[in-house]
Amino acid sequence: MTFNLQAVCKGNSLQLEHPIDVPPDTPVRVIVFTDDEREEWLKFSSEGLAGAYGDNEPEYSFADVIK
């Protein structure tokens, strides 16, 4: 189960902007990005995808994929 949540830092804790439906005591992993860092990461990842799926990328057949 994966969520993309918005939160605000309140002192030493994070406060979610909306409640989530997760059972009590469920371990979770939190990765913190500021809005600026998130935009940079989105730009970087979209450039990588554009290179991987660009016009110069060859078409692969099913037989190529299952080798």
Side-chain angles (χ1 to χ4, degrees):
M1 173 176 359
T2 302
F3 295 95
N4 184 0
L5 304 170
Q6 299 292 321
V8 176
C9 185
K10 299 281 186 174
N12 291 330
S13 64
L14 296 174
Q15 180 178 356
L16 298 177
E17 290 185 1
H18 304 284
I20 58 172
D21 186 21
V22 176
D25 301 318
T26 300
V28 297
R29 180 173 305 225
V30 177
I31 301 171
V32 177
F33 287 104
T34 64
D35 284 341
D36 290 340
E37 290 169 328
R38 181 178 182 277
E39 291 301 318
E40 289 175 22
W41 177 253
L42 289 173
K43 181 182 176 205
F44 173 74
S45 59
S46 66
E47 288 170 355
L49 285 172
Y53 294 98
D55 293 336
N56 295 328
E57 181 67 22
E59 291 295 322
Y60 295 103
S61 70
F62 185 71
D64 292 327
V65 174
I66 62 171
K67 288 183 180 177

